[in-house]
Amino acid sequence: MADDKTEEFAFTPEQQELRMAVRGFCADNSDEATVRRLMESTPPFDEKAWARLGSELGVLGLGVPEELDGSGGGIVDAAIAVEELGAALFCGPVFGTIALSIPALVAAPHTPVRREVLSPLVTGARTAAFAVPDRAGRFAGDAVTVEATESGGAWTVSGTIERVVDAGAADDLLLTAKGSDGVALFVVDAAGSGVERTALSTMDSTRPQATIRFHDAPARLLAGPDEVERVCRHALHVGTVLLAAEQVGGAQHLLDRSVAYAQERLQFGRPIGSFQAVKHRLADMLVEQEHARSAAYHAAWALQDGADDPALATSIAQATCSAAYTRIAADTVQVHGGIGFTWEHRTHLYFKRAFTDAALLGSVEEHRDRIAEIVLDHAAIDYEVPVATG
């Protein structure tokens, strides 16, 4: 955490213990054989392992206040856990449940519905997906495609939402819908009447997506028109930071594999890591990775402690981490040669995750454009730049 005197960021001993605990859990539950088996399974994750994340490790409750049955802690703690899950390519609804739905529920108004939905998510008994439209990680209320109707105090929703991550196996679906008073946030039981889900074929089989169709499906109100933008903005900010942390974890794993392979692979009688071109590539990968790690944890710290503009910090993190992960993934393939992209090699699984993650919650270019908008378009210039006239 932050030191009040120096304003430097450092992990506490407790956070280091958390990292090692999650890393050990992943070593037992997310080896390559397990990942390949689960990504072809239905549901595409181990429900018992997911429940252990909540009930034994308390990972699902990080950032959730203890009075809401959470583990306490903050966004930095959640980022540490998600980084380790990303490093192991853990199969589970990390994006839909941990990164988006739980933060949305934490920010939602105090109602019995919120607690009823949140508690089983924190324990790992249920999972959720976040079917809310965004533009580059910013809530897009004008893109809502679902209609909400109230009758006698009960709500139903109808409409279609395309390409929702983790929706295929989710127990609860958080979605925005347009009612007579405006857009509001609802939760729908995915196993209830009027819900139809169609699994999609995606590049990254470890991160499934589905299209959801609602036909007068019963819904419960989580946040009305006066609260929905705040709740969704918070969820998308946290989701962007945790996605960046996951990218850092995956990129670190690839960097470690590349360095190890360069030390083992012999060419012309010596390790390929001794060749200058390979050394330079690995050094560049390290620089990219350290830059990404700093950006991700600065954003987590900024959201947790209010140390910086959330919109600016999250866009910097996502732009930096997406670019770093995709480049390191591509460079890992180059270091490994042709074997790196074959089905038999784990590197290509990370390559697909890297490019899938880069398309979620906004592209690198979109976030860079937002950074320029925040920093440059609203900059107050109180000086003149001297220009030579002679």
Side-chain angles (χ1 to χ4, degrees):
M1 292 303 299
D3 182 291
D4 292 337
K5 296 181 179 179
T6 63
E7 292 298 324
E8 292 181 356
F9 182 91
F11 295 117
T12 65
E14 292 78 10
Q15 288 170 334
Q16 297 287 11
E17 291 176 5
L18 169 65
R19 181 182 298 280
M20 297 310 298
V22 178
R23 185 174 297 177
F25 171 85
C26 290
D28 294 336
N29 295 276
S30 192
D31 59 276
E32 182 178 354
T34 300
V35 171
R36 291 185 182 277
R37 174 177 58 83
L38 291 175
M39 71 185 194
E40 303 294 341
S41 303
T42 302
F45 66 98
D46 185 335
E47 293 175 300
K48 292 182 179 179
W50 184 261
R52 286 185 57 206
L53 273 179
S55 60
E56 294 183 19
L57 296 183
V59 166
L60 305 182
L62 291 172
V64 180
E66 294 181 7
E67 58 267 25
L68 292 176
D69 302 324
S71 308
I75 297 173
V76 173
D77 303 293
I80 292 169
V82 171
E83 179 190 344
E84 292 301 321
L85 296 175
L89 213 66
F90 182 78
C91 289
V94 174
F95 186 73
T97 302
I98 300 177
L100 292 169
S101 295
I102 289 178
L105 289 163
V106 170
H110 298 275
T111 63
V113 174
R114 178 181 77 154
R115 193 175 197 108
E116 290 171 11
V117 177
L118 180 58
S119 292
L121 295 184
V122 167
T123 61
R126 293 173 68 85
T127 63
F130 193 70
V132 173
D134 74 278
R135 292 192 183 92
R138 182 180 289 175
F139 175 57
D142 59 342
V144 173
T145 57
V146 177
E147 299 286 340
T149 304
E150 183 184 17
S151 177
W155 290 91
T156 59
V157 293
S158 296
T160 301
I161 306 177
E162 304 278 355
R163 298 179 298 278
V164 181
V165 176
D166 295 328
D171 299 300
D172 293 310
L173 303 170
L174 275 66
L175 68 142
T176 45
K178 292 179 288 188
S180 57
D181 295 329
V183 175
L185 181 67
F186 297 87
V187 60
V188 172
D189 186 340
S193 62
V195 180
E196 177 187 348
R197 293 178 285 182
T198 303
L200 303 176
S201 177
T202 59
M203 178 176 69
D204 179 12
S205 298
T206 67
R207 177 138 285 169
Q209 300 182 30
T211 290
I212 316 170
R213 294 177 177 84
F214 301 98
H215 307 279
D216 294 324
R220 292 178 289 173
L221 182 67
L222 283 172
D226 56 336
E227 295 278 2
V228 64
E229 185 172 353
R230 176 189 62 81
V231 172
C232 292
R233 180 173 62 246
H234 173 78
L236 290 167
H237 280 163
V238 175
T240 300
V241 168
L242 296 185
L243 180 62
E246 179 187 88
Q247 291 168 316
V248 168
Q252 184 65 58
H253 175 84
L254 291 178
L255 176 59
D256 293 341
R257 287 185 68 94
S258 296
V259 171
Y261 185 78
Q263 293 173 333
E264 298 167 358
R265 177 71 167 91
L266 300 180
Q267 189 64 265
F268 304 111
R270 66 185 199 180
I272 62 172
S274 64
F275 299 122
Q276 188 177 60
V278 177
K279 287 180 181 179
H280 286 181
R281 187 183 293 275
L282 293 173
D284 289 342
M285 292 165 68
L286 175 62
V287 171
E288 292 273 358
Q289 169 64 3
E290 290 302 309
H291 189 191
R293 185 183 300 279
S294 296
Y297 280 101
H298 169 74
W301 184 20
L303 282 186
Q304 179 173 294
D305 294 354
D308 202 348
D309 178 0
L312 177 61
T314 54
S315 280
I316 290 174
Q318 192 49 232
T320 305
C321 295
S322 286
Y325 196 8
T326 52
R327 176 175 176 179
I328 290 172
D331 283 348
T332 298
V333 173
Q334 295 300 315
V335 171
H336 283 76
I339 189 65
F341 199 68
T342 62
W343 179 252
E344 294 78 14
H345 203 278
R346 195 177 188 183
T347 295
H348 91 98
L349 298 176
Y350 285 85
F351 183 93
K352 291 178 178 180
R353 172 63 70 85
F355 281 86
T356 296
D357 280 359
L360 298 175
L361 301 182
S363 66
V364 172
E365 292 75 15
E366 288 173 315
H367 282 286
R368 287 174 176 168
D369 184 67
R370 180 170 301 157
I371 294 166
E373 175 188 340
I374 295 173
V375 174
L376 300 179
D377 291 358
H378 303 290
I381 302 176
D382 56 359
Y383 61 89
E384 294 184 2
V385 178
V387 178
T389 58

